[in-house]
Structures are given as structure tokens and as C-alpha cells.
Amino acid sequence: MFGLNFFKRPQALQIYIAAYDRGLDAAGNQKPDHWAIIITKSLSHAGTAHHVIHGHPLFEYRPRDDVYVLKSQSLAHVLHVGKVYEKDVKKVEDIFEKVQVNNVDKEWNCQNWVIEAIMGCIGVSGVSLEKGIKVEKLRELVKAASDGRDM
């Protein structure tokens, strides 16, 4: 009557924000961290990084598969922000693709894109964000996150 998959629990993937150190600019000032949204089974598994690349005026959204967060030499911080069921990942990726890239405002960067992308996931069925994660506080939360290399 019921197939074997009827009782199979849906697989949940983890959603993280990873912040990567970009070093110093020509004047010796710290560049802002590069942010990406990582969807993966766990930090020890390969996942997909969702982020914008390049810079003004060439920013573009480009996902990248096979990203091992903890293997990056430039990883500064990683923050767990939620979960998404495997069957609902496409919905989330569709949201990410629709987030506008701003190549006009020189103050806009990948961090703004990540915040807007996470905001787009609020209330989406199959996605649950961590309780206490306030999107407007993501900058502080990411900076306060433990150094991902120590996990």
C-alpha cells in the first residue's frame, strides 16, 4: 500500500553565512569580509556557496558547488542561520537568483546581498531560520560568530 519512501524523513540541509577575510587594500585598510550563504549537510561536507562576485560595476550572483567551508584559508567566521529541506532548496535558489544586484551604490556589497537573500527566505515553507536570528543584526552576529577554523 505505502512505498518504502512513505516513512522516510525529509533530509534537512544546513544554512550558514560564511565570512571570508579579504586582506588589506592598497592604503593598508582592512577590506570588508566577503560573505556567502552556504547550503550543505554539515560544515565537514561539500556544499553550495551562494554569493555575488567581482565588484562595482560588475557584481553578479553566481552559485558555486563543491565548497568546503572549513578548508578555506581565508575563513574568518561562520554562523548557522537555519535549515532547508532538500526538496525545497530549488525554492531558495530561485529567491537568491531574484535578489537584485546593485552596481550603482558604491556602498553596496556582497554583505548587503546576503542580508537581502536571507530576508527573502523568511516565511518560505521548508525553510526554518534560527530563533533569535534578526536579519537587521546579521552583521553583528556574523562578526561575533566563532572562528570557523576552530569548529
Side-chain angles (χ1 to χ4, degrees):
M1 175 185 233
F2 296 110
L4 221 40
N5 287 335
F6 179 76
F7 295 107
K8 191 174 182 182
R9 198 175 229 187
Q11 177 71 35
L13 300 175
Q14 307 306 308
I15 304 171
Y16 297 95
I17 295 175
Y20 299 92
D21 184 358
R22 293 179 47 234
L24 304 175
D25 65 16
N29 300 314
Q30 185 70 40
K31 292 180 182 178
D33 287 342
H34 174 69
W35 283 17
I37 299 170
I38 312 294
I39 298 179
T40 184
K41 282 184 181 181
S42 73
L43 288 175
S44 60
H45 287 83
T48 302
H50 298 274
H51 59 154
V52 293
I53 59 170
H54 306 307
H56 290 288
L58 303 171
F59 274 121
E60 66 176 287
Y61 166 69
R62 186 176 305 161
R64 183 175 153 212
D65 293 328
D66 282 341
V67 171
Y68 287 87
V69 174
L70 296 181
K71 289 185 179 180
S72 171
Q73 295 293 316
S74 63
L75 181 66
H77 309 285
V78 63
L79 177 68
H80 183 261
V81 293
K83 297 177 183 179
V84 58
Y85 287 118
E86 212 166 30
K87 67 180 183 61
D88 296 311
V89 169
K90 178 72 172 113
K91 284 194 276 188
V92 171
E93 290 174 340
D94 288 345
I95 290 167
F96 294 169
E97 286 177 16
K98 291 176 183 154
V99 173
Q100 291 293 310
V101 173
N102 185 335
N103 277 308
V104 177
D105 180 359
K106 298 285 188 206
E107 298 298 312
W108 189 93
N109 63 24
C110 59
Q111 295 179 14
N112 300 98
W113 182 90
V114 165
I115 290 169
E116 291 173 43
I118 293 295
M119 285 177 62
C121 294
I122 295 171
V124 173
S125 69
V127 177
S128 60
L129 297 179
E130 288 288 331
K131 289 181 177 30
I133 294 286
K134 301 231 184 302
V135 176
E136 64 275 7
K137 299 278 188 192
L138 276 177
R139 287 190 206 288
E140 293 97 40
L141 291 170
V142 171
K143 287 196 189 308
S146 64
D147 186 328
R149 289 169 289 204
D150 295 336
M151 296 183 121

